[in-house]
Amino acid sequence: MDWLKSIIDSLPIGAISDILGEITIWWGQLVKDVPPADLPMYAYLGGVIIVLILWLLVARILPRPLGGMSWMMLFAVLLAPGTALGDPSVIAPASISVVYAIMMKDTAGAIANMLPILVVLVVGLFVGFVWQLIRGAFESSLDKARSRTADDAQATAQLTTGNYLADDAGLSESFDHSALSSKSELAKNELSKPKAEVSLKKDRK
């Protein structure tokens, strides 16, 4: 239950209350001139839209596949079409018929009324899966393009700095050769001096 408490604590309660207040004001202005016969349909659709929008805030907290699947399940339960109980020609939410059949202990009726919900859920999950594939391919192509541009920038930087490095290497090699030659000449001169002094001493004797 700790994870549930952490989810509840991380919910933006203040933002949700502000959104609900604004939606209530907007809804009152919208249904001000609606006929009483159409008011239940408007109220149901408005309530469904509010619930789905608020569930987006919860779905962002949940893990990525679980949040989208929960939102799609809620959409299917609330908006799957069915028939009214008294008049089959009138469209009504299928979830109401399922709840009524369960209360009446009609298993066959509950399964039959649950079929539209399952169809909407499967179609929504398939569309979401295709969308995730397209999104993943697009993101991978963007990552490859970014890596290519980074590699090209690095290669151009190496090409521009390579000439200076080669020139510096040539100068250092020439300096080393000259230093070595000068050292070798000094060593030869020092070795030749004592021999001359020894020969002069022998002649004097």
Side-chain angles (χ1 to χ4, degrees), residues 90-102:
V90 177
I91 296 175
S95 58
I96 297 175
S97 300
V98 173
V99 172
Y100 180 77
I102 291 172

Side-chain angles (χ1 to χ4, degrees), residues 23-47:
I23 289 173
T24 303
I25 295 170
W26 172 76
W27 181 255
Q29 295 293 327
L30 182 64
V31 299
K32 183 170 61 176
D33 298 329
V34 174
D38 297 334
L39 190 60
M41 184 183 68
Y42 280 90
Y44 180 76
L45 292 177

Side-chain angles (χ1 to χ4, degrees), residues 115-126:
L115 288 176
I117 299 173
L118 295 176
V119 170
V120 173
L121 179 61
V122 170
V123 172
L125 291 177
F126 179 74

Side-chain angles (χ1 to χ4, degrees), residues 19 35 92 99 106 108 110 114 119 139 143 148 155 172 177 182 193:
I19 292 170
V99 172
D106 186 6
M114 199 179 292
V119 170
E139 288 179 354
D143 293 336
R148 287 177 183 175
S172 62
H177 286 300
S182 62
K193 285 179 181 179

Side-chain angles (χ1 to χ4, degrees), residues 146-186:
R146 288 172 184 172
S147 63
R148 287 177 183 175
T149 53
D151 293 337
D152 292 338
Q154 186 177 2
T156 52
Q158 289 178 356
L159 288 174
T160 53
T161 57
N163 296 326
Y164 298 106
L165 291 174
D167 294 336
D168 293 338
L171 290 172
S172 62
E173 287 178 358
S174 62
F175 180 76
D176 292 336
H177 286 300
S178 63
L180 288 172
S181 61
S182 62
K183 286 180 181 180
S184 62
E185 289 177 357
L186 289 172

